[in-house]
Amino acid sequence: MKVLVLGAGNVGRAVAWDLKNEFEVYVGDVSEERLKVVSEFATPVRVDASNFDELIEVMTGFEMVVGALPGRFGYQVVKAAIKAGVDMVDVSFMPENPLELREEAEKAQVTVIFDAGFAPGLSHILMGRIWNELDTMALGRIYVGGLPKEPKPPLYYRITWSPKDLIEEYIRPARAILNGEIKTVDPLESIERVEIRGFEFEAFLSDGLRSLLESVRADTLEEWTLRWPGHLEKMRVLRELGFFKPEHVDNTLEVVTPLMTYDSPDFSIMQVFGRGTIDGKPREVGYLLYDEERDGLTSMARVTGFTAAIVARLVAEQTCIYGVIPPEILGMRIDTFTRISDELADRGIKIEGWENAPSGDS
């Protein structure tokens, strides 16, 4: 099977590297420099993702596409895949709702699984499994972060993915279910302190629930993104001063990106849990993941790219119906959930689960 991975950045390289032994893998990007790096294990293809017609023309030569581009390209890439009649797995944090393309995908007999990375992605898969294990859910919460092990001032963060998508997290209103209703809140309005696995983090509400807002019923459902203490207040000041406005963000990134670009191994951490009832008794079901950089790949590239690659295999095996499918469906199905968690464990990414009686906030 010929597979096209769109995006030769950290995540795209991880996807291509993981698929290379089972598929005929090509990697598309506009950057000759990035394509040169992936040419060691995949066939490079120059493609401009901003050109819709070019995307369709290139995609028609493949049986599957994996999108690993910044969020601003995501929706167009999914539309192009449907137009080209090619199955697709996508990890971009697109602002649009890809479920709007469901009917088009069904008519084209195409399978699209969106948000198939780390968060959103694996976070949804875990929450889907929790939702299936509980009879009723009162509270569902996701804590997730990708951070440097050796943070450096002044921003205490290291960029391992799209800088523009990072800024988007601080300006895009966050949606959550509060008191049983979908609410929209300022992501930086509340900065909380959280302790997980012996680490103390700052956390802010982020807009990562997306399709979970419709597929999971709960009184409270939230996603909190984790940062090292000292980062978020600076981001809030920059935002309030207007540095994240569209007309200024490129200049802002020229200044702040070098401050978040340095050598430090990174790690990824995710805690997902739900509280509700099983057989009428109060229960808490949860999962914890911790992963570190290794084998020349950042941890963020590993947890995002490997998840996408495993999901791509499921699509290639025709285990999913036609249409646009949110990732939590893969968690609600025990067969696909087990396959994903087992294959991640084979790659050194272990997910620890628990079930017990609730004992206060986690």
Side-chain angles (χ1 to χ4, degrees), residues 18-20 22-23 64 306 308-319 339 343 347:
D18 194 79
L19 295 176
K20 69 183 188 311
E22 300 168 57
F23 301 91
M64 180 182 295
F306 291 169
I310 295 166
V311 172
R313 287 181 175 86
L314 293 173
V315 174
E317 294 164 11
Q318 298 183 331
T319 59
R339 172 78 175 275
E343 289 207 20
R347 292 155 178 77

Side-chain angles (χ1 to χ4, degrees), residues 116-151:
F118 183 47
L122 188 57
S123 54
H124 287 54
I125 293 168
L126 296 177
M127 187 59 78
R129 177 88 312 253
I130 292 167
W131 165 249
N132 230 32
E133 292 177 2
L134 291 169
D135 295 333
T136 64
M137 181 186 289
L139 168 69
R141 189 169 290 160
I142 298 166
Y143 290 113
V144 59
L147 298 162
K149 293 187 70 176
E150 301 165 3

Side-chain angles (χ1 to χ4, degrees), residues 266-330:
D266 75 317
F267 70 94
S268 304
I269 189 166
M270 179 186 289
Q271 180 175 274
V272 183
F273 66 89
R275 292 180 188 153
T277 61
I278 298 178
D279 296 330
K281 298 179 181 179
R283 303 300 292 173
E284 177 180 283
V285 178
Y287 293 94
L288 175 68
L289 176 152
Y290 177 85
D291 181 70
E292 295 185 355
E293 180 174 328
R294 68 180 73 177
D295 301 326
L297 293 172
T298 66
S299 176
M300 184 55 64
R302 283 167 47 80
V303 295
T304 305
F306 291 169
T307 299
I310 295 166
V311 172
R313 287 181 175 86
L314 293 173
V315 174
E317 294 164 11
Q318 298 183 331
T319 59
C320 302
I321 61 173
Y322 296 135
V324 179
I325 302 170
E328 56 267 25
I329 300 300
L330 301 177

